[in-house]
Every structure is written in C-alpha cells, then in structure tokens.
Amino acid sequence: MAKQDSKAHRARADRLQGQTGALATAATAAMEEKLPWFRGLSAQDRSWIGLVAQSGITAFVDWFRDPEEHSSMPTRIFGSAPREFTRVISLHQTVDLVRTTIEMMETAIDDLLPPDDVPAVQQAMQRYAREVAFAAATVYAQAAEMRGAWDARLEALVVDSVIRGEADDSVRSRASALGWTGAAGTTGSAEVAVVVGRAPAAEGNANVADAVRHAAREAGADALCAIQGDRLVVVLGGVGKPVEIVQRLAHWFGPGPIVVGPVVKDLMAAVTSARAAVAGLRAVPAWPGAPRPVQADELLPERSLSGDGHARRQLATEVYGPLTMGEGVLLDTVSAYLDSGGSIEATARAMFIHANTVRYRLKRVADLTGYQPLNPRDAFTLRVALALGRLLNPEPGNTVL
C-alpha cells in the first residue's frame, strides 16, 4: 500500500512539474494585476522578481517531490536574486508577492491538475508558504545587519574626519547617506556642535549610537555618533542651543563630564567645535564643580592652563583686548579689583575714586567681555585672561595677537 502511495505521489509531482511554466507565467500576470507598485518598477527589477517567483515555484515542486531531501529549499529560493533585491522592494512587499503567488497557485491548480491532486498540493503549499515567509524574513534581517555594520563604519569615518579637520564635500556626502540633512531643525538653525564625553561601559555601548540618534531626532536635531577609544563623540546638526539637547542625551554617555563645543555654521566648520570640545574634556578635571554638560567656552581658563593655544588666544583677544581700549581705565579697575580680593571699597581707595565709579566700571567690564567680576568663577576667568593678555601683548592699547 505504501508503495502504491509513493508511486501516486511521484506521478502527482510529475504532473505538477509539467505545469511550472504555466504557473510562473500566471504568477507574473497576477503581480501585474494586483500589485500597483510592481507595475511601477523598472523592467530589470520586474525581471529579478519574476526570476525569484519562478525559482520559488520550481523549488516548491522539488520540495513537494521529496520534502526531506529538499528541506532547505525554501531558504534558498532568494539566492537567484541579486543583493540589490532587498533595496528594490520592502519586506512587506515581499510578503505581498508570496501571498499573491500562493493565491494564484491555489486558483490555477484547479484547472491545471486533476481533482484528486488538488487537496494534497494545496496542503503542501500552505506549509511551504510559511517556510518561504521565514526565509524572506531571514534575508531582510541579514541585509539589515550588513547595512547596519556598514553604516556604523561609515559613521565612524565621518566623525573621525570631523575630529581631524578633514571634512570636505565627500564627508558631507557620506553624512547625507547616513541621514544627515544639514537643514534647520525645530530650532530654526542649521548650525553644528560637537559633543564629547566618556563612552559607556562595554556592555552598554552596543546600541548607544542608535539610541543617541533617535533621541536627537526626537529633539529636532541630526546626530552622528562614534565611540573612539574611551570617549563618545556626537556631532549634532540643526542646533541653536545644543546644551538643551545634550541634557536629553546625557544618560547615554558614561560617567564623568560631557563637553559641548561651540556652535559653528555647518559640518565643514565642525572641526573648530570638535577641537574645543576635546580640549575641554582634557581640561575639565581642573574644575570639579563644572556642570554636566558644560560648554567648552566655559572652560577657557582650564583649557589655557592645560596648553590649549586656541583658548589662550581667545581669552587674550576677546576678554583682555576690549579692556585695553581707550585709556585702559577698565583694565586698571578690574586689575585693582581682583588684586584687592574682590572688595569694591578697597579698589576705590587704591584708585582714589568713588565706590560707585568702581561699580560702574565693573559693569562696563561685564558688558564688554561677558564676564561679571563680582562672580567668583568669572573673576577667575578674568584673572587668567589678564595674565595671558599681558604675556602676549605687554603694551596696553595695542592690538592683541
């Protein structure tokens, strides 16, 4: 009896194999009729999909003939399609293709096969379709994994180019391929800032880049992210107030300070922000009470003491320089104020002027430099700026180099 059943099954498989050409033609016609997006594909793309459909039908016949010998057949039917297949159509569209092909076959076999063959073939098709669906999901998962690995390497390359000051049109193009728009975000700004902090522990950094990008996108900003040794570097785009955005990203960094570089006009100029942020991260231990995150420009005195020449020139030019204008009375006043231990009355006595005059001049110092002498932290910055200014340009009133 088993021998007769086996013989009948082989005969049924032979009859099914004889109809593979007609089934493949009917499958393509069904796609044309039922799937509008299929009609919109190029001739080459449609030929790829038709090839996959024909391969699937042929593989089904082989599997139907001997499921044990061809048990891996459902997972191999996508091998006939080029790698670009997963970029041409989505996983959802692939499921539509499988569904359309199966529905077509269920209808077509009623006319192409004897009635006694139909129930066995239909039952086998349902099982086979499930295996094909799992195979399709595997193909797309592998493609996504490969793209993810490639994107991670490309993103690390872009961030490294920004840090090294090698950003050019090719870097901007690569950033665009990663989803960097370079356009104004919700802040109305297209500006860029680089953020540097400690990387999270190894067990927590597997998906940190994706998490940072997602959080930045929710805040209305672009983000490129890379782990470089023990530090995490994030390039934010479309930011007018980066500190507010970084506060929402801070928990993705490792313990310790986070330094936000100054805002620059675009990705091409981001090296300026990156340089300041990296220098700030190196110098921030000198300020134990620094906020988290802290702006690199708030660390100018510490950066200067740690050997950052850009910070030294910035303090000498933007803080000391304005105080030397005119007759230098503001410079003399703030110097006397700092030397007197922050006492307005002692400053007034030392300069033989009224205390209110001292207060007025100190207010002018704050207006010109952005640093309030009455604030201890700002007073420290002013003292460092004055020392640097005198070293770089000992003649008051001259242009600071």
Side-chain angles (χ1 to χ4, degrees):
M1 187 69 176
K3 197 171 185 179
Q4 290 179 348
D5 289 344
S6 176
K7 183 176 180 180
H9 181 77
R10 287 198 301 271
R12 186 179 296 122
D14 290 340
R15 287 190 291 271
L16 181 61
Q17 187 169 13
Q19 300 298 331
T20 54
L23 290 171
T25 302
T28 303
M31 295 174 198
E32 291 275 3
E33 177 185 355
K34 297 182 179 181
L35 303 176
W37 57 264
F38 180 82
R39 296 192 295 271
L41 297 176
S42 67
Q44 184 182 36
D45 293 341
R46 289 199 303 273
S47 70
W48 286 346
I49 294 172
L51 186 64
V52 173
Q54 184 176 355
S55 173
I57 293 171
T58 302
F60 168 67
V61 175
D62 293 338
W63 178 85
F64 179 76
R65 186 182 298 278
D66 191 343
E68 292 185 4
E69 182 180 350
H70 300 285
S71 60
S72 63
M73 190 64 73
T75 64
R76 303 206 314 260
I77 67 171
F78 293 99
S80 58
R83 184 178 299 176
E84 290 81 2
F85 181 84
T86 56
R87 299 183 182 181
V88 172
I89 63 174
S90 66
L91 177 59
H92 177 74
Q93 290 171 332
T94 303
V95 173
D96 282 345
L97 286 176
V98 174
R99 183 185 298 114
T100 300
T101 303
I102 295 299
E103 290 175 351
M104 176 280 304
M105 291 180 66
E106 288 178 337
T107 303
I109 59 176
D110 288 335
D111 299 326
L112 299 175
L113 298 177
D116 291 344
D117 292 349
V118 172
V121 175
Q122 284 184 336
Q123 183 178 7
M125 278 195 308
Q126 295 301 322
R127 179 182 168 192
Y128 186 78
R130 182 182 62 207
E131 298 298 327
V132 170
F134 283 125
T138 300
V139 168
Y140 279 84
Q142 290 173 343
E145 185 176 356
M146 290 177 62
R147 283 198 299 271
W150 169 251
D151 286 351
R153 290 192 292 270
L154 182 61
E155 188 171 15
L157 177 63
V158 171
V159 173
D160 184 63
S161 297
V162 169
I163 293 291
R164 291 159 60 92
E166 298 174 354
D168 54 17
D169 287 336
S170 65
V171 170
R172 184 158 48 189
S173 177
R174 291 171 183 148
S176 178
L178 293 167
W180 179 276
T181 64
T186 57
T187 61
S189 170
E191 296 164 326
V192 175
V194 177
V195 184
V196 182
R198 297 303 174 195
E203 61 272 13
N205 66 20
N207 300 313
V208 66
D210 291 336
V212 168
R213 281 194 299 272
H214 179 72
R217 196 159 45 244
E218 286 189 336
D222 285 333
L224 297 171
C225 180
I227 294 178
Q228 298 182 333
D230 63 346
R231 70 187 184 192
L232 174 62
V233 182
V234 180
V235 182
L236 292 176
V239 290
K241 298 179 179 179
V243 172
E244 295 180 4
I245 294 177
V246 176
Q247 286 171 344
R248 301 173 63 171
L249 310 178
H251 63 284
W252 294 109
F253 286 80
I258 302 172
V259 182
V260 183
V263 174
V264 294
K265 62 180 181 179
D266 56 26
L267 193 62
M268 308 287 277
V271 62
T272 301
S273 182
R275 186 169 51 218
V278 171
L281 187 64
R282 184 173 60 247
V284 70
W287 184 13
R292 185 177 191 264
V294 60
Q295 296 185 71
D297 282 355
E298 295 182 84
L299 292 163
L300 286 175
E302 287 80 11
R303 288 166 52 194
S304 299
L305 294 173
S306 69
D308 183 0
H310 297 283
R312 290 176 177 176
R313 285 189 292 273
Q314 187 172 342
L315 283 176
T317 302
E318 299 179 8
V319 179
Y320 178 81
L323 299 180
T324 64
M325 297 298 101
E327 297 179 358
V329 293
L330 296 181
L331 178 63
D332 293 339
T333 302
V334 73
S335 296
Y337 174 78
L338 295 173
D339 291 341
S340 68
S343 170
I344 291 178
E345 289 74 15
T347 303
R349 289 194 298 270
M351 298 188 70
F352 303 102
I353 56 176
H354 197 277
N356 287 340
T357 303
V358 175
R359 293 187 179 93
Y360 170 77
R361 291 180 181 177
L362 294 180
K363 184 178 181 304
R364 287 283 297 143
V365 169
D367 292 340
L368 283 173
T369 65
Y371 293 98
Q372 172 57 260
L374 277 64
N375 178 283
R377 171 68 190 176
D378 287 358
F380 170 64
T381 302
L382 287 167
R383 183 177 289 279
V384 174
L386 265 57
L388 290 170
R390 288 164 180 152
L391 287 172
L392 295 175
N393 184 24
E395 296 296 330
N398 293 343
T399 302
V400 179
L401 299 178

